[in-house]
Amino acid sequence: MTLHRRTLLRAAGVSLALPCLDALARGDDRAAQPRRRMVCVCTPLGLHPPYFFPEKDGADYELTPYLDVLKDFRRDITVVSGLAHAGQSPGFAHQASASFLTGAQNAGRPGFRNSISLDQYAAEHIGGRTRFPSLALSGEGAGLSWTRTGALVPAATSPARVFARLFLDGRPEEVRAQVARLADGRSILDDVGGQAAALRSGLGAGDRDRLDEYMTSVRDLERRLARDETWARTPKPKVSAEPPRDIPNAADLLGRTRLLFDLTHLALQTDSTRLVTIMLGGSTYVPPIPGVTLGHHDLSHHGRDPGKLEQLKTVESETMKVVRDLLAKLKQTREDGATLLDRTTVFLGSNLGDGSSHSVRNLPVLLAGGGFRHGKHLRFNPENPPPLCNLFVSMLQRLGVETDRFSSGTSTLTGLDPVG
């Protein structure tokens, strides 16, 4: 008998779709597909447009100061200009970071309610294949990930703690205690499920629908608990890297970013997760970078002051060097005859098109790796651009998620083609 991932296990009224198992590879071509990953990075204070965007589109664009830092990866990156999220306001430009990966309109305004972020949408489809469905990181403060109900996913800011979660096993008694707690949770859900089923027969149609939605949530939680119990019994991967030490200096933008990127590389390399979001720092403090005497936030609101622009160029160029180092690590890591960069879509962008004017148009977009045809500048008309979420549809499809829509996105991004 040929097995497919569509196969369901049915018993006592329970239907359970089979997970992604190696034993199913003969019956499902998708199981043999390479592991695809995604990293989304936001620079919350933007990138100075003249130093980032090329003047010419196509493949033979001249390198700008920031792209010159990435010149060794020219064939691995695509620069996109003109894109934006609809419905954002310059008056709430900083708050628009909440919509960076969701595309939800009116961020920051009274009554705003967010929607699911790109990574969490992807996690609903592929997150169950790894110990951690996704990893939300932040250089300071809040992160980029939001649940389907519009709740912010707490972002980890301590690389030391994240490293421990990823790679350090607890003592045997701690593992047993964790498994016991998960088992208790599952038994409680069994009791709740029985009570809800008994209650359903006496409800009206509207209440039955609401109860069914609740029971669906209960079943989802049961599946997550079962998965977590399996992972709790599975030893964590071993790595040769030394555990990182947290950097207490909030001004050290580069040092903190480097630690988060190193963790990201390790997490992807060990297949601990395939989905990572990273909010970089945007501190008001002066970063410890030679020649910089003002805070990053102050520099981003430069008002075209030549001195501030020169310092801003230094800060953002150094940040791009850290991005370059992440791309280098991914490209140097091999997996089944390919590089980790080939398998990982790296998206770098911002909620700000221009920090000084608080513009939310013409957002800086850099896409690297992931199996796309790179090496060019895609330029769109900022007066009538396609939604940035069209890019997100392309990224989802590259992950193997079968969808033509995400938020305001209704198709893939024109001009961005996958390899093969």
Side-chain angles (χ1 to χ4, degrees):
M1 180 179 66
T2 299
L3 291 177
H4 300 272
R5 282 196 59 209
R6 296 183 297 275
T7 302
L8 299 179
L9 300 179
R10 295 183 174 90
V14 175
S15 295
L16 182 63
L18 291 176
C20 182
L21 302 175
D22 291 339
L24 300 181
R26 294 187 302 275
D28 191 340
D29 291 339
R30 287 176 295 176
Q33 295 299 312
R35 289 174 288 205
R36 298 287 180 185
R37 304 168 175 88
M38 180 177 70
V39 177
C40 300
V41 184
C42 178
T43 62
L45 296 177
L47 293 168
H48 188 51
Y51 298 159
F52 178 74
F53 289 122
E55 292 186 3
K56 185 177 181 180
D57 57 3
D60 57 347
Y61 64 86
E62 292 187 12
L63 294 172
T64 57
Y66 295 167
L67 296 181
D68 185 65
V69 176
L70 304 177
K71 61 185 177 183
D72 292 340
F73 298 91
R74 181 168 183 144
R75 294 180 179 272
D76 300 298
I77 64 175
T78 295
V79 184
V80 189
S81 61
L83 299 184
H85 282 313
Q88 306 305 329
S89 168
F92 298 94
H94 289 295
Q95 292 87 340
S97 62
S99 294
F100 178 66
L101 292 182
T102 71
Q105 297 190 23
N106 302 318
R109 294 177 179 173
F112 170 72
R113 181 176 178 178
N114 216 340
S115 55
I116 190 168
S117 57
L118 174 66
D119 62 303
Q120 295 304 297
Y121 184 91
E124 291 181 350
H125 294 79
I126 69 170
R129 302 174 189 176
T130 53
R131 183 187 294 269
F132 299 97
S134 63
L135 196 60
L137 305 175
S138 178
E140 60 177 3
L144 301 171
S145 302
W146 298 79
T147 69
R148 184 164 288 279
T149 59
L152 181 64
V153 176
T157 58
S158 167
R161 292 180 182 176
V162 174
F163 185 93
R165 285 176 55 208
L166 290 173
F167 306 119
L168 301 184
D169 286 311
R171 296 188 300 273
E173 59 271 21
E174 292 174 336
V175 174
R176 287 193 295 270
Q178 182 180 359
V179 171
R181 286 193 297 272
L182 291 168
D184 287 344
R186 293 176 67 187
S187 66
I188 291 171
L189 287 174
D190 290 340
D191 293 340
V192 171
Q195 295 169 16
L199 177 65
R200 189 180 189 279
S201 60
L203 298 176
D207 283 339
R208 285 199 300 271
D209 289 343
R210 283 187 285 272
L211 183 60
D212 288 344
E213 291 178 1
Y214 167 73
M215 291 304 298
T216 298
S217 298
V218 169
R219 285 191 290 270
D220 288 343
L221 183 54
E222 287 175 333
R223 284 191 288 268
R224 289 198 297 271
L225 287 171
R227 183 195 65 207
D228 290 346
E229 182 176 340
T230 299
W231 284 116
R233 298 179 186 274
T234 304
K236 295 179 181 179
K238 303 302 179 185
V239 294
S240 58
E242 291 293 324
R245 293 185 178 181
D246 291 344
I247 297 175
N249 181 8
D252 193 353
L253 167 68
L254 302 180
R256 289 183 164 208
T257 300
R258 189 172 291 107
L259 288 182
L260 295 179
F261 283 0
D262 287 347
L263 274 176
T264 296
H265 171 247
L266 288 174
L268 299 178
Q269 182 182 22
T270 57
D271 205 30
S272 297
T273 189
R274 298 180 188 176
L275 302 166
V276 183
T277 60
I278 308 172
M279 172 72 89
L280 300 187
S283 176
T284 58
Y285 302 110
V286 179
I289 300 173
V292 177
T293 60
L294 297 172
H296 186 198
H297 185 272
D298 187 10
L299 294 175
S300 69
H301 294 63
H302 48 77
R304 299 186 179 181
D305 177 271
K308 288 186 176 182
L309 280 171
E310 188 61 30
Q311 291 193 38
L312 179 65
K313 183 179 180 181
T314 298
V315 172
E316 294 183 343
S317 294
E318 292 299 317
T319 300
M320 295 300 286
K321 290 179 182 178
V322 185
V323 172
R324 176 199 62 196
D325 293 345
L326 171 63
L327 299 182
K329 286 190 174 185
L330 294 175
K331 193 165 185 176
Q332 291 164 5
T333 304
R334 306 292 299 181
E335 180 183 82
D336 301 330
T339 72
L340 201 54
L341 184 59
D342 294 332
R343 303 282 177 82
T344 305
T345 299
V346 181
F347 166 53
L348 172 71
S350 179
N351 49 286
L352 283 172
D354 187 327
S356 188
S357 64
H358 277 202
S359 171
V360 290
R361 302 169 62 184
N362 194 21
L363 302 178
V365 172
L366 179 77
L367 199 73
F372 291 99
R373 298 188 185 279
H374 290 298
K376 55 192 172 184
H377 169 210
L378 293 178
R379 179 164 57 188
F380 296 94
N381 180 3
E383 300 299 326
N384 186 30
L388 175 55
C389 287
N390 279 8
L391 171 61
F392 295 171
V393 173
S394 295
M395 294 164 65
L396 286 169
Q397 289 188 5
R398 202 59 185 147
L399 287 172
V401 179
E402 298 178 1
T403 184
D404 292 319
R405 308 181 71 90
F406 176 80
S407 188
S408 61
T410 57
S411 69
T412 56
L413 186 67
T414 302
L416 181 65
D417 302 315
V419 176

